[in-house]
Amino acid sequence: MKGMTLLESVFEKIYNTVKKIPYGKVATYGQIALLSGNPRWARVVGYALHVNPNPNEIPCYRVVNRNGEISKSFAFGGEDIQRKLLEMEGVKFDENNRIDLKKYCWRGE
DNA sequence: TTAATGACCTATC
DNA sequence: CGATAGGCCATTA
């Protein structure tokens, strides 16, 4: 970790929020942004996960976009890996490779 | 310090 | 329903 400010950096806040996503659930980038303090950080969330320091502790594969689709630029093995990880937790994909957010979207803490 | 970047989101057609 | 354009903002070079 580099020198972060006296308070938590935005990235740290984002990582902490992502860690809270429960097993078998997913969250959107916008949702993570909102729970991390600012609804306009959706894009920052994407960048934060792109430089994910420790994937073992941060379940970044549980984060999908607004349409319930997995991102193309998943940095750890590709989108197929992300999909498998989610399917292992019981998350189903429809014929368009999308997730039903009404069912699987995390409802908060 | 300025400019560029990006795993997004919303409104509009 | 799908596609496009513009906006957003922390972080980095």
Side-chain angles (χ1 to χ4, degrees):
Chain A
M1 335 246 175
K2 302 181 294 202
M4 56 169 129
T5 37
L6 290 170
L7 300 180
E8 276 186 322
S9 73
V10 172
F11 279 19
E12 289 296 322
K13 291 181 182 176
I14 290 170
Y15 295 143
N16 281 329
T17 304
V18 173
K19 287 180 189 171
K20 294 178 187 170
I21 305 175
Y23 182 96
K25 292 286 180 184
V26 299
T28 67
Y29 294 90
Q31 190 179 1
I32 296 299
L34 180 63
L35 293 174
S36 299
N38 190 318
R40 301 184 186 118
W41 286 344
R43 219 165 174 180
V44 179
V45 170
Y47 192 73
L49 294 184
H50 177 66
V51 293
N52 187 343
N54 50 337
N56 293 31
E57 305 255 339
I58 305 171
C60 53
Y61 59 87
R62 293 191 186 135
V63 184
V64 299
N65 67 23
R66 192 65 181 148
N67 297 315
E69 298 174 308
I70 56 186
S71 300
K72 297 183 205 172
S73 309
F74 186 65
F76 302 95
E79 28 187 338
D80 49 332
I81 296 297
Q82 182 174 6
R83 174 168 177 160
K84 276 192 177 179
L85 288 169
L86 289 173
E87 286 178 330
M88 265 194 301
E89 299 190 350
V91 177
K92 317 274 190 198
F93 288 73
D94 64 17
E95 54 277 347
N96 290 316
N97 298 320
R98 290 182 185 174
I99 296 170
D100 183 0
L101 291 178
K102 300 210 168 191
K103 264 188 175 182
Y104 302 105
C105 190
W106 177 35
R107 306 279 175 184
E109 337 200 5

